[in-house]
Structure formats: C-alpha cells, structure tokens
Amino acid sequence: MISLGETQGTAESPETGGGIPAFEARLTRHRRSAGMARLHLRIFLAGVPGGNALAHDAAVVLDELVSNAVKHARVPKGRRIYVRFEMVLDHLRLEVHDASSEKPVIRRSVGVDSESGRGLRLVEALSVEWGVVPRPEGIGKIVWALVGPGGGES
C-alpha cells in the first residue's frame, strides 16, 4: 500500500484476473481529488499495454465522475471517495464510489450559457457503456464506465 497522506488518500494495487493489477485509491471529497485521480490513472495506464490509446477518453470520463462525486454527494464530513481502475480485456473499467445513494441524472437540455450540466453527456459519449449500482456495503453507490479503444463508438 502506498500512503499519499491524509488529505489525498491511499492506494493499493491488487491483481486482476488477467495479471494486470487493478488500482484502488481513497480520496477526500475535495475539489483537487479529480486531479489526483487523473494522476493515478496516468500512472496506472503507463503500466498497461495499449494504455496510452485509452488515456484521453479515460481521463475525461474519470474527471467527470470524480467531480460529480465531490460536488453532488451530500454526505457527512469525513466520507471518502473511492476510485478503482481495472482492465477488462481491452477495455478499462473506471469506478467511482461515494456514500450518497442519489443517482446521477443526465440533463438532456442545457442552456448555451450554462457552466455545468454537460459532464454525464461526455461520460455517455466517451464510454462504451456506463451505469450506477448500489455499493455492496449498503451505503452509497458505484458509478462505473467502460472505456474502450474506439471510445463511445464500440
């Protein structure tokens, strides 16, 4: 386990079934957590054959999911966001866990001048598939996305 300090979280690299390690980290609910998650993702993908082909789309998707968890997961102070990356064949599975059970909703109409409301549309466009499931622990949810070599076209 790599310690990144109390404000940034902890990271672990358990093995996945394919021999490529999965990556897991706990992050604070802070506006800088999306940047920390992207840094972890770049490091993870650097060790994955073909990871560079997924890097751009995966970084945008991860940024949106973590930013949503930070902004919208109204939970008690001290609750953390948990991120997990795993290769599934030639696709990257991104997961963002938070302690809120409120499901994200895609806004279908967003004003031209709106400064927010487009994030999940980006996730939808850049992901092969994405969704939301309850956390097995019973508190909160997991928002996941599958990013592939062809982006959202696969």
Side-chain angles (χ1 to χ4, degrees), residues 65-86:
L65 297 181
V66 172
S67 294
N68 280 349
V70 168
K71 184 175 182 179
H72 299 295
R74 305 284 183 227
V75 297
K77 186 176 172 108
R79 295 285 183 165
R80 302 229 179 223
I81 295 169
Y82 175 84
V83 295
R84 186 172 195 282
F85 320 136
E86 175 182 16

Side-chain angles (χ1 to χ4, degrees), residues 85-106:
F85 320 136
E86 175 182 16
M87 291 304 299
V88 180
L89 300 175
D90 62 343
H91 290 73
L92 172 65
R93 181 179 171 95
L94 302 168
E95 295 181 4
V96 177
H97 303 223
D98 67 53
S100 170
S101 52
E102 184 177 332
K103 293 184 179 181
V105 176
I106 295 178

Side-chain angles (χ1 to χ4, degrees), residues 33-43 58-60 62-63 67 85:
S33 292
M36 181 57 67
R38 288 191 315 272
L39 174 63
H40 288 312
L41 179 64
R42 280 194 302 274
I43 293 167
V60 172
L62 181 64
D63 186 75
S67 294
F85 320 136

Side-chain angles (χ1 to χ4, degrees), residues 18-64:
I20 296 173
F23 177 86
E24 303 172 350
R26 286 177 182 79
L27 305 169
T28 58
R29 271 191 66 238
H30 191 277
R31 61 183 174 81
R32 288 184 281 192
S33 292
M36 181 57 67
R38 288 191 315 272
L39 174 63
H40 288 312
L41 179 64
R42 280 194 302 274
I43 293 167
F44 174 78
L45 290 175
V48 172
N52 285 342
L54 304 173
H56 178 267
D57 289 356
V60 172
V61 169
L62 181 64
D63 186 75
E64 293 300 334

Side-chain angles (χ1 to χ4, degrees), residues 2-14:
I2 302 167
S3 176
L4 299 174
E6 187 60 26
T7 60
Q8 296 302 325
T10 59
E12 300 174 7
S13 293

